[in-house]
Amino acid sequence: MAFLVLPVMVVLFYLGMAMEFNQWAQAVPGAGKPGQMVNVATVSAQQAEVFGAACLDTATATAGMISSSITVTLPTGVTTPANAVCMTTSAGGGTRNVYAYAPAVSGEAGQVMTDSDSSAAWFLVPRSGRAVGIVSGQPSAIPATIPAGSLLAWFQVNP
């Protein structure tokens, strides 16, 4: 009868080892679903940050230009976020609003906040015509053409 225990022990040993190896594999940074989500949020945040900076550079290089769609040139190797838009509007008194936005990805806002050292220039758009500061949580009115669900970089420039 004791000989029946040995096969059960061997099966349990290998089952335990398989579970342990699976846990080790999931502990590697970027592994598993949570790691993949972090990677997507990080890459999306970096693309949004670079696009926002390039949008601001383009808008300041063309003084006084008001446009609903500005062509932005990104550094080599950086892809434009999907459905990203750079636009300017008049803020009165010679000042312009510069908006750079793209659809937000889960976790992206937190990564942008970390990367930008909690810059007040970043907003989430919960509904059309309304933006909420990532850091401050304060609501602000924005153009209704900026779609809900967007991550928005908003700057004011003069001229």
Side-chain angles (χ1 to χ4, degrees), residues 53-118:
C55 176
L56 179 60
D57 290 345
T58 303
T60 55
T62 53
M65 181 177 70
I66 304 294
S67 176
S68 61
S69 182
I70 299 172
T71 302
V72 175
T73 303
L74 297 175
T76 304
V78 179
T79 58
T80 303
N83 300 319
V85 176
C86 176
M87 66 182 267
T88 55
T89 62
S90 176
T95 303
R96 294 180 297 151
N97 291 312
V98 178
Y99 300 104
Y101 63 90
V105 173
S106 180
E108 181 180 19
Q111 187 65 44
V112 166
M113 190 169 74
T114 301
D115 292 347
S116 69
D117 201 23
S118 299

